Amino acid sequence: MEKIVFEKNNIRDYVKNVIAEKIEKLKKFIEFTLEASRDIKKTPKYDSMREEMQEEIYQMQRQLGALNDLKRNMAKVLNSSTEKVQLGSLVITNKARFYISVSLGEFFFEGDRFYAISSESPMAKKMMGMKSGDEFTLNKIHQKIVEVI
């Protein structure tokens, strides 16, 4: 079986780009919604429509804040190769591939499925300090660490 080589730097850049793209898209949605709220004509439903739009803008601004937090946290993620699982590690198990960075969830990079997880997640906490060959069980799922990059 051919061993797949992963470039952690490329994966890190990809995650940073995904976050940046989400931030830009959300900024455009907020701007569009603000513009639309200004264009609402005085009608009998004027107040309730404006209220709904304000609530929508508020929710998007909260999401934007969370994305900006992810962006700041990505700046703290180490990019050097590691032998033991830590923040910045790319962990390949017999079941999945985890990038210990920020809580972005599932993503596909060059056709392979990865999970960007926070170092505070139960999965990351379980793997912290482990190295290739170590095994663990979480939620009744047994995994073996094949490689730590």
Side-chain angles (χ1 to χ4, degrees):
M1 188 167 126
E2 183 182 325
K3 182 179 176 185
I4 303 170
V5 178
F6 296 105
E7 283 294 327
K8 186 166 67 170
N9 196 36
N10 294 344
I11 293 169
R12 182 175 192 264
D13 289 344
Y14 179 80
V15 169
K16 287 171 84 171
N17 287 338
V18 166
I19 294 168
E21 286 171 11
K22 285 182 179 214
I23 287 171
E24 284 310 306
K25 191 180 287 184
L26 201 50
K27 282 180 178 177
K28 287 178 182 170
F29 278 141
I30 290 170
E31 195 173 306
F32 175 79
T33 307
L34 277 169
E35 192 76 29
S37 74
R38 288 186 204 107
D39 291 344
I40 295 175
K41 303 290 183 246
K42 293 260 185 198
T43 65
K45 294 185 177 181
Y46 172 77
D47 288 336
S48 65
M49 287 174 64
R50 276 188 72 95
E51 261 181 52
E52 284 179 32
M53 291 180 111
Q54 287 301 323
E55 181 61 30
E56 189 69 27
I57 291 167
Y58 172 72
Q59 294 300 330
M60 287 189 286
Q61 287 172 332
R62 285 184 49 210
Q63 290 175 0
L64 185 60
L67 285 169
N68 280 320
D69 287 345
L70 286 182
K71 185 177 177 180
R72 272 191 297 281
N73 290 338
M74 266 310 288
K76 300 174 191 171
V77 175
L78 305 172
N79 199 30
S80 54
S81 102
T82 58
E83 285 187 24
K84 290 186 176 184
V85 178
Q86 63 186 32
L87 182 64
S89 294
L90 179 60
V91 183
I92 314 298
T93 72
N94 61 328
K95 305 253 193 248
R97 299 171 191 93
F98 301 97
Y99 181 43
I100 315 295
S101 54
V102 294
S103 184
L104 192 62
E106 178 184 63
F107 68 94
F108 290 86
F109 179 74
E110 294 181 357
D112 290 304
R113 179 186 312 211
F114 291 85
Y115 297 92
I117 61 174
S118 160
S119 59
E120 298 300 311
S121 70
M123 179 66 74
K125 284 183 175 183
K126 191 78 171 176
M127 293 188 292
M128 284 296 178
M130 292 184 164
K131 57 188 182 320
S132 294
D134 289 349
E135 299 181 25
F136 65 95
T137 303
L138 182 67
N139 298 331
K140 299 181 183 172
I141 299 173
H142 186 78
Q143 297 190 55
K144 180 177 183 176
I145 297 176
V146 176
E147 187 175 8
V148 179
I149 304 171

